Amino acid sequence: MGAVTLRVGDLDAMIAYYRDAVTLDLLSQDGHFAVLGRGTTPVVILEYSPELKSPEPRAAGLYHTAILFESREALAAAIYSIATKFPNTFTGSADHKVSVAFYFTDPEGNGVEMYWDRDRTAWSWIHGQIEMATLYVDPNAFLQEYLTPETVENPRVGGASVGHVHLSVGDVASAKEFYVKRLGFETTFEVPGSALFISAGGYHHHMAMNTWESKGAGQRKLALGLGEVDIVVPGMDDLGSLEERLTHYGTSFGNDGQSVTIADPWGSQIRVTAKLA
C-alpha cells in the first residue's frame, strides 16, 4: 500500500498531529500539500481544502488508515507520544492474532490504526481464510513492557508504512465485486453482509471494507476526509493486467502513463502505480 491522501481543513493542526503525536516526519510541504512518513516512505499526504465541509454521517469513505511499525518497541513509542500529546484521541486496542493494534481518531475525525504484525509463521489459515479475532489488550501493560527510556527520548524508531487501508462502504457484495473481481485482490476473511478483508501475496489484509457505520451509503459528496488511496503493484505487467480486467468489465479508468486511477462504487478514488525498479 502507498500513501493515503486526506483532504483537511486545518493543515497546520493536522501536520502537528501526524508529526508530533504519531511521530511521522514531515517529508515535504509545498503550498496546499504536506507529505508525512518515515525515511523516504510517505504514509499520509495532507491536502489543504478549507472550502470543504466534514462528510455526512454514515457516508462511505475512510474507516481508518493503518500504520504498520517494525517492532513492538517502535509501536509503543508512537502510542506513548500520542498519549502524552493528544490523549483524547485514543479509541481502543485489540490483539487480532495476526497483529496488535491501537486505534485513534485524528483532530478532523479520520480513523488511525497503529499496529505491529506477528511473524507470518504465527498466522493461522483455516479453509483459505486468515484466522483473526478481537481480543483485549491493556494499553498500559503494553507500554510498561515495550516502552524504553531511549524510545521516549527518540520515538522515531525504525520504519513505518501504510500496512492496510480500511474503508466504509454501502454494501459488501459491491465491494467484493469491485476490489476482488475488478482490481484483482484475494479475499482473506469475510463476514457476510458486514465486512470484507482482502490482500495480495498472502498478507492478512491490505484493504478492508465494512458497513458498520455506512450500510446503504450512496455516492460520496466532495468533503473533507479521504482523498485518494495509493496502491503500488510490482511492475508494469501488473498494471497492464489491471487495465485488461477493467476494460473487460467495462469499468472506466484514467491512465497517465504511470498509473491507473479508478473510483470505487461509492466514489472513493484509487490510484494504482507500478513500483519503480
Side-chain angles (χ1 to χ4, degrees), residues 117-128:
D117 270 338
R118 289 190 170 88
D119 190 86
R120 290 193 183 208
T121 58
W123 301 356
S124 177
W125 295 81
I126 300 175
H127 303 302

Side-chain angles (χ1 to χ4, degrees), residues 20-23 72-87 90 102 104 114 139-140 142-144 146-149 151-155:
D20 302 336
V22 180
T23 70
R72 284 170 291 197
E73 290 75 16
L75 176 58
I79 293 166
Y80 180 77
S81 175
I82 295 185
T84 54
K85 297 179 177 70
F86 289 85
F90 175 72
F102 297 82
F104 305 85
M114 298 165 64
N140 291 315
F142 185 85
L143 291 179
Q144 287 174 359
Y146 296 108
L147 188 65
T148 68
T151 56
V152 169
E153 290 297 320
N154 179 23

Side-chain angles (χ1 to χ4, degrees), residues 228-265:
E228 186 175 72
V229 175
D230 279 1
I231 298 171
V232 182
V233 294
M236 292 301 294
D237 288 346
D238 302 283
L239 208 59
S241 297
L242 172 61
E243 289 188 65
E244 290 177 3
R245 283 195 305 276
L246 297 175
T247 301
H248 173 76
Y249 288 110
T251 305
S252 60
F253 61 91
N255 187 338
D256 62 6
Q258 302 294 324
S259 59
V260 170
T261 305
I262 182 174
D264 79 2

Side-chain angles (χ1 to χ4, degrees), residues 5-201:
T5 299
L6 300 175
R7 299 189 181 102
V8 304
D10 188 332
L11 184 60
D12 290 340
M14 292 289 274
I15 288 174
Y17 183 80
Y18 284 96
R19 179 193 60 205
D20 302 336
V22 180
T23 70
L24 300 178
D25 297 319
L26 181 60
L27 303 182
S28 66
Q29 184 174 359
D30 182 12
H32 286 189
F33 290 88
V35 181
L36 294 103
R38 284 276 182 91
T40 59
T41 303
V43 172
V44 176
I45 300 172
L46 304 178
E47 179 183 347
Y48 183 47
S49 305
E51 73 283 1
L52 298 181
K53 297 180 180 181
S54 298
E56 296 178 349
R58 304 192 68 80
L62 183 69
Y63 190 71
H64 61 235
T65 301
I67 304 172
L68 175 63
F69 291 82
E70 291 182 351
S71 67
R72 284 170 291 197
E73 290 75 16
L75 176 58
I79 293 166
Y80 180 77
S81 175
I82 295 185
T84 54
K85 297 179 177 70
F86 289 85
N88 294 330
T89 64
F90 175 72
T91 59
S93 56
D95 184 332
H96 293 304
K97 291 192 173 182
V98 295
S99 62
V100 178
F102 297 82
Y103 298 92
F104 305 85
T105 302
D106 76 18
E108 296 197 0
N110 301 293
V112 182
E113 175 183 339
M114 298 165 64
Y115 75 111
W116 163 79
D117 270 338
R118 289 190 170 88
D119 190 86
R120 290 193 183 208
T121 58
W123 301 356
S124 177
W125 295 81
I126 300 175
H127 303 302
Q129 287 207 106
I130 190 73
E131 186 179 6
M132 292 192 292
T134 301
L135 309 174
Y136 176 69
V137 171
D138 183 333
N140 291 315
F142 185 85
L143 291 179
Q144 287 174 359
E145 185 168 1
Y146 296 108
L147 188 65
T148 68
E150 291 77 19
T151 56
V152 169
E153 290 297 320
N154 179 23
R156 288 169 169 80
V157 181
S161 60
V162 176
H164 62 269
V165 178
H166 200 142
L167 301 178
S168 294
V169 298
D171 70 276
V172 170
S174 297
K176 188 171 185 178
E177 198 276 343
F178 176 82
Y179 285 98
V180 175
K181 182 180 289 187
R182 302 191 184 206
L183 260 60
F185 282 103
E186 297 176 347
T187 299
T188 58
F189 186 78
E190 184 175 359
V191 181
S194 177
L196 175 71
F197 296 78
I198 59 177
S199 82

